[in-house]
Amino acid sequence: MEPAKNLASSNNPIDIVEDIFASKSFELERRNPNEVAVEIQGKWNNMLLFFAWEPNMQCMHLSCLMDIETKIEDRSKIFELLALVNEELWVGHFSYWTEQNVPVFKHSVLLNKNDDNFEQKISQIIDIAVKECERMYPIFKVVLTKGMDPKQALYPMMMETFGSA
């Protein structure tokens, strides 16, 4: 088993991100030395993962765009939904990219050269981003395309279930 890669073993952590996806045979687009994008198939649709490395801050940023284009004019519903959804998150947050009219999950991680488990850490963040996008996709979909009230859309998610069927 190959040891986990750390930041000291790479001049650029985007190389490590690239290795994570290349090992799983995903197609990547290296936009520049500090950015990479990869499209993955999610449970509901494709998602675009975008990684950016900011060397001056020693910070890796991840954005996960959900392919849901809004059909509603009332932006207040979008921002109410974002506030309600973000209350449910422990890591990262959802935002709305107004230029493209799509919801996006964002998270940033501060790193240092002695970080021994960077590959594990970034894999964990990828898993969290994908799981949160898949969990929230149906909610964003009904609000952004059908105009459903955000509280009504979130209601099933807030119900606590007991037992098993």
Side-chain angles (χ1 to χ4, degrees):
M1 186 169 159
E2 193 176 311
K5 294 178 184 166
N6 63 25
L7 287 178
S9 68
S10 173
N11 292 332
N12 187 336
I14 292 293
D15 297 335
I16 297 171
V17 172
E18 209 171 32
D19 289 346
I20 290 169
F21 286 103
S23 71
K24 298 176 184 178
S25 300
F26 282 94
E27 287 199 32
L28 304 159
E29 180 186 346
R30 186 79 178 247
R31 296 181 174 180
N32 67 49
N34 292 327
E35 295 178 1
V36 67
V38 61
E39 188 170 349
I40 64 167
Q41 176 62 49
K43 181 178 178 180
W44 307 103
N45 71 353
N46 288 351
M47 291 178 271
L48 180 66
L49 295 167
F50 175 77
F51 298 86
W53 171 244
E54 172 45 62
N56 293 329
M57 291 191 300
Q58 295 289 291
C59 184
M60 174 69 71
H61 177 78
L62 162 66
S63 295
C64 184
L65 285 73
M66 292 188 285
D67 189 17
I68 308 172
E69 198 168 322
T70 187
K71 306 233 185 309
I72 62 171
E73 296 293 323
D74 185 3
R75 298 276 173 146
S76 66
K77 282 188 178 186
I78 295 168
F79 297 116
E80 179 184 0
L81 177 61
L82 289 171
L84 293 169
V85 165
N86 284 330
E87 287 178 1
E88 301 296 315
L89 299 178
W90 281 68
V91 174
H93 68 279
F94 280 97
S95 181
Y96 191 75
W97 189 9
T98 53
E99 186 178 296
Q100 297 294 322
N101 289 324
V102 295
V104 58
F105 178 86
K106 295 181 175 186
H107 185 66
S108 295
V109 181
L110 297 172
L111 304 165
N112 65 54
K113 291 283 185 196
N114 300 326
D115 218 338
D116 288 333
N117 60 351
F118 173 74
E119 188 173 9
Q120 293 169 331
K121 189 182 283 188
I122 200 65
S123 292
Q124 185 179 29
I125 296 302
I126 292 165
D127 288 345
I128 290 168
V130 170
K131 285 177 184 168
E132 290 299 345
C133 287
E134 288 180 343
R135 183 171 74 111
M136 297 298 180
Y137 181 90
I139 295 161
F140 276 103
K141 180 85 173 173
V142 296
V143 172
L144 297 178
T145 63
K146 306 287 186 215
M148 182 183 274
D149 178 78
K151 288 179 185 159
Q152 184 181 2
L154 277 166
Y155 181 74
M157 193 180 98
M158 293 182 186
M159 290 176 38
E160 194 171 335
T161 57
F162 295 97
S164 60

